[in-house]
Amino acid sequence: MIELRCAKQAVATGLFVVLGAAMCQSQPLWDLANQKKELLRISTLFTAQNVRDHLSSKEGIDKAVQWCKQTGVTHVFIETFRDNYTAERAVLERAKERFKAEGFEVSGCVTTTRVGKLSGGWDAISCYTNEGTQKQLQGIFEYAASLFDEIMIDDFLFTDCQCDECKKARGERSWVDYRCDLMVEMSRQRILGPARAVNPRVKIIIKYPQWYDDFHNRGYDVSRETADYDKIWVGTETRDYDNKRWGGKVQYEAYYIMRWLGEIGGSKTGGGWFDPYGTTEDTYVEQARQTVLADAKEMLLFCYGSLLRDTGPANVEKLRQELPGLFKLAGLVRDKPVKGIMAPKPPNSDAHDEQYVFDFVGMLGLPLVPTASVDDTAQAAFLSVHALKDLAFVGKLQRMLAANRPVLITDGLAKRLPDLDRENKSLTILKVNGNPRSLFELTREQLKPIRDQLLAPFGMKLDAPNKVALYLIGDNCLIVESFNDEPVDVSLEFSKAAGARKALVLPVGGDVDLSAAQGKLNLAKMTPRTLVAIEY
Ligand SMILES: [Zn+2]
């Protein structure tokens, strides 16, 4: 259909055949993305500096429009403020109108960096106790609301300030309590109220960073802020684990946080947001995969300027190839409940020395169900020190163990439970040793009994090396994903193994040999960094 229409256009426009052909090349992904945008929307951001550098001229906007269409981007966020730079109204208005005329959805964005008095801690972060900072913050949002009906706030709306003004204002409160109260107040008094006064239609999105275990320490309060804002978004930028500057994050983190905030946000949950920094093509698209796998309705490619340089163009090219598969993946997971092992992180819970342990446990092939609360009726559970935030936790754990439900708890949590019956046969203690990264040292043989015990309620057994994740989607779909750089062999035992079939393999060019025998599904020679969705 697309080729046919392009051919007609080329004939009809005569002299403009060359131009027509060039434009037609970009249409297939644009058309597909428009067909699928209710399922999964692709967006990008023009930072305030990108607006100045790339959207100030007609040629610049032409190029940006073309790039977006070639990349399947149907929604653009155009930023008004970042790093104490305010984009010009006339430039913003012209860009907004042009993108709308081209058929894009258009929203605004604000990044609250270098606002007023700086904290002196994390670079570009502000002291919000300071009256001058507060007034500037209000002005930034009044300006944005005068231009856009939807505004995303990038993930710098927090504080680490410990100045004398903050110390005095804090009084007897802990820093956690003071900062959470302060940022909730800023949101209500200086952002939401003033923006809505300027533009009663405006919807404001709070985008949470990816560092969920430290949210409360710097004033992100996911309970109160999610209640206050119109929508939430999620940082899913895991980048490369081994990258010296940006590394240390595992791919499962994007999945855990997107699902965790997805539960907290419910219908307010928008999309996930990732960037190209410290990535290769392979790990860049893994971020997209994890975001979509976690049921995000949209994914934002941060940001136009960065995607034009360094690793950006190669990343984007790989993503374009993968988009049709990502739409399929979105279709497989959309609104289906995930089954598996309850993995609770109560909001504002302390991680102690088990920071981001969920991400690493997910990499072990244990299908987690990220959640904000401890439910003692769960069929199986993974519990870490985070669970202690729930004051009724000890009784809940006792009930789970009394009901013979398999429970995996960290050694750090066990240490804090003096009355724990360590001999209970439903209980397994996972040695994290205050270093979640050490879980990568567990061998296939060491993992086997842990997986078998935790998967028993689901009638399943998994045999795989470390860094192979398992996801149980709804009643008839499971996903196996290898993050290894070498081919791997995996086997799964479950009652419906005989009828299993491949529904999707990512990336394009990835492969796995599927065969079933005696209740076991063998996935042989699974190519590196490959996801396979299996329907049964
Ligand atoms: Zn301060």
Side-chain angles (χ1 to χ4, degrees):
M1 285 299 285
I2 292 155
E3 285 72 18
L4 193 66
R5 198 172 65 220
C6 287
K8 276 183 190 161
Q9 271 175 4
V11 172
T13 50
L15 279 173
F16 300 104
V17 166
V18 176
L19 176 65
M23 287 174 69
C24 287
Q25 277 174 8
S26 69
Q27 286 299 98
L29 267 189
W30 171 249
D31 290 346
L32 179 67
N34 274 294
Q35 284 164 25
K36 300 286 186 185
K37 65 186 180 186
E38 296 307 318
L39 174 67
L40 173 66
R41 199 159 309 195
I42 320 296
S43 48
T44 195
L45 169 71
F46 296 86
T47 64
Q49 288 75 15
N50 290 168
V51 170
R52 177 191 65 205
D53 299 341
H54 296 284
L55 302 182
S56 289
S57 68
K58 185 179 176 303
E59 297 71 34
I61 299 181
D62 287 346
K63 212 178 136 201
V65 165
Q66 182 77 351
W67 182 93
C68 289
K69 290 187 174 180
Q70 285 171 339
T71 312
V73 168
T74 62
H75 185 188
V76 295
F77 288 82
I78 301 178
E79 193 176 72
T80 53
F81 180 94
R82 174 179 293 250
D83 285 346
N84 206 20
Y85 171 74
T86 305
E88 289 174 29
R89 179 176 289 275
V91 175
L92 290 162
E93 281 177 339
R94 211 164 45 230
K96 179 175 80 168
E97 292 315 318
R98 175 67 193 283
F99 274 107
K100 278 190 175 168
E102 294 280 351
F104 290 83
E105 287 172 78
V106 184
S107 302
C109 187
V110 163
T111 298
T112 53
T113 43
R114 302 204 176 279
V115 180
K117 176 182 161 184
L118 297 188
S119 75
W122 186 317
D123 185 40
I125 294 306
S126 300
C127 168
Y128 287 99
T129 307
N130 181 268
E131 179 79 15
T133 305
Q134 294 188 12
K135 283 186 174 154
Q136 192 187 347
L137 183 70
Q138 178 169 339
I140 289 164
F141 280 92
E142 285 167 344
Y143 179 66
S146 75
L147 284 151
F148 295 99
D149 290 339
E150 181 173 82
I151 303 163
M152 175 106 75
I153 310 174
D154 194 2
D155 56 18
F156 293 88
L157 189 63
F158 63 90
T159 187
D160 57 355
C161 192
Q162 302 188 60
C163 76
D164 289 342
E165 244 182 302
C166 284
K167 277 182 191 151
K168 192 170 164 219
R170 170 171 80 110
E172 297 301 309
R173 276 179 288 182
S174 68
W175 280 115
V176 168
D177 288 347
Y178 177 64
R179 287 174 181 159
C180 286
D181 288 350
L182 177 66
M183 297 319 293
V184 166
E185 186 194 322
M186 285 307 99
S187 295
R188 291 174 184 167
Q189 308 296 331
R190 301 292 186 174
I191 297 175
L192 296 167
R196 286 168 181 161
V198 168
N199 177 358
R201 289 185 309 277
V202 77
K203 303 286 180 217
I204 305 198
I205 305 166
I206 186 165
K207 179 221 163 186
Y208 295 114
Q210 143 217 55
W211 34 268
Y212 61 82
D213 261 342
D214 268 322
F215 281 175
H216 57 304
N217 293 324
R218 302 187 185 116
Y220 272 116
D221 184 324
V222 292
S223 299
R224 284 186 287 169
E225 289 182 322
T226 301
D228 285 349
Y229 281 90
D230 297 298
K231 285 189 193 175
I232 66 165
W233 270 62
V234 184
T236 55
E237 60 276 41
T238 49
R239 303 164 180 150
D240 284 15
Y241 184 70
D242 299 318
N243 186 277
K244 283 199 173 63
R245 179 169 175 202
W246 303 98
K249 295 291 173 182
V250 289
Q251 294 89 337
Y252 201 90
E253 180 168 302
Y255 179 82
Y256 186 86
I257 187 177
M258 190 76 227
R259 288 273 180 195
W260 180 66
L261 284 170
E263 187 205 59
I264 292 169
S267 61
K268 285 188 175 185
T269 314
W273 159 319
F274 54 89
D275 62 42
Y277 308 128
T279 64
T280 61
E281 298 99 287
D282 291 343
T283 48
Y284 181 73
V285 294
E286 276 175 345
Q287 302 180 114
R289 238 174 261 163
Q290 297 309 90
T291 303
V292 175
L293 193 51
D295 208 16
K297 300 184 200 95
E298 185 163 349
M299 59 182 194
L300 185 144
L301 318 177
F302 180 92
C303 63
Y304 178 68
S306 293
L307 290 169
L308 294 183
R309 58 171 197 263
D310 303 326
T311 57
N315 287 344
V316 169
E317 200 41 54
K318 177 112 180 175
L319 182 71
R320 286 168 178 161
Q321 290 168 23
E322 190 144 330
L323 276 183
L326 289 169
F327 288 123
K328 272 191 196 158
L329 183 60
L332 288 170
V333 302
R334 178 52 29 84
D335 291 336
K336 288 193 193 144
V338 280
K339 295 196 300 188
I341 303 157
M342 174 184 69
K345 174 184 163 65
N348 303 349
S349 54
D350 281 321
H352 300 282
D353 56 0
E354 293 181 353
Q355 287 229 329
Y356 308 104
V357 68
F358 307 102
D359 313 347
F360 292 87
V361 171
M363 299 291 278
L364 304 179
L366 296 171
L368 302 184
V369 180
T371 176
S373 54
V374 183
D375 172 7
D376 59 10
T377 67
Q379 288 175 282
F382 164 67
L383 301 163
S384 56
V385 292
H386 303 76
L388 292 167
K389 179 79 178 173
D390 179 345
L391 298 177
F393 168 68
V394 174
K396 290 181 180 179
L397 175 61
Q398 277 165 358
R399 284 194 289 280
M400 281 185 267
L401 291 173
N404 297 319
R405 299 207 195 90
V407 175
L408 179 68
I409 75 169
T410 61
D411 50 356
L413 178 59
K415 202 170 66 186
R416 289 171 170 85
L417 300 172
D419 298 328
L420 182 69
D421 171 14
R422 288 169 179 259
E423 302 306 315
N424 188 300
K425 64 178 174 26
S426 299
L427 180 74
T428 305
I429 297 179
L430 183 68
K431 289 197 181 69
V432 179
N433 297 314
N435 178 16
R437 290 176 192 205
S438 67
L439 294 173
F440 278 159
E441 290 159 22
L442 290 169
T443 64
R444 184 175 195 136
E445 292 69 32
Q446 289 169 321
L447 288 169
K448 185 86 174 78
I450 301 174
R451 290 169 176 155
D452 287 352
Q453 181 162 29
L454 272 289
L455 285 170
F458 312 99
M460 200 167 267
K461 286 184 179 182
L462 170 70
D463 182 20
N466 207 317
K467 298 191 201 172
V468 173
L470 175 65
Y471 311 83
L472 307 179
I473 311 290
D475 291 324
N476 64 344
C477 180
L478 63 86
I479 288 171
V480 177
E481 187 178 22
S482 171
F483 299 106
N484 290 280
D485 286 316
E486 315 76 39
V488 296
D489 293 327
V490 174
S491 76
L492 269 165
E493 271 183 64
F494 62 111
S495 63
K496 293 182 181 165
R501 59 171 196 88
K502 264 187 260 186
L504 174 69
V505 178
L506 289 173
V508 175
D511 202 7
V512 58
D513 294 339
L514 218 63
S515 63
Q518 289 149 358
K520 204 184 250 193
L521 183 67
N522 292 305
L523 293 82
K525 294 182 227 154
M526 200 170 164
T527 47
R529 296 182 182 274
T530 295
L531 171 153
V532 55
I534 293 161
E535 285 184 325
Y536 52 90

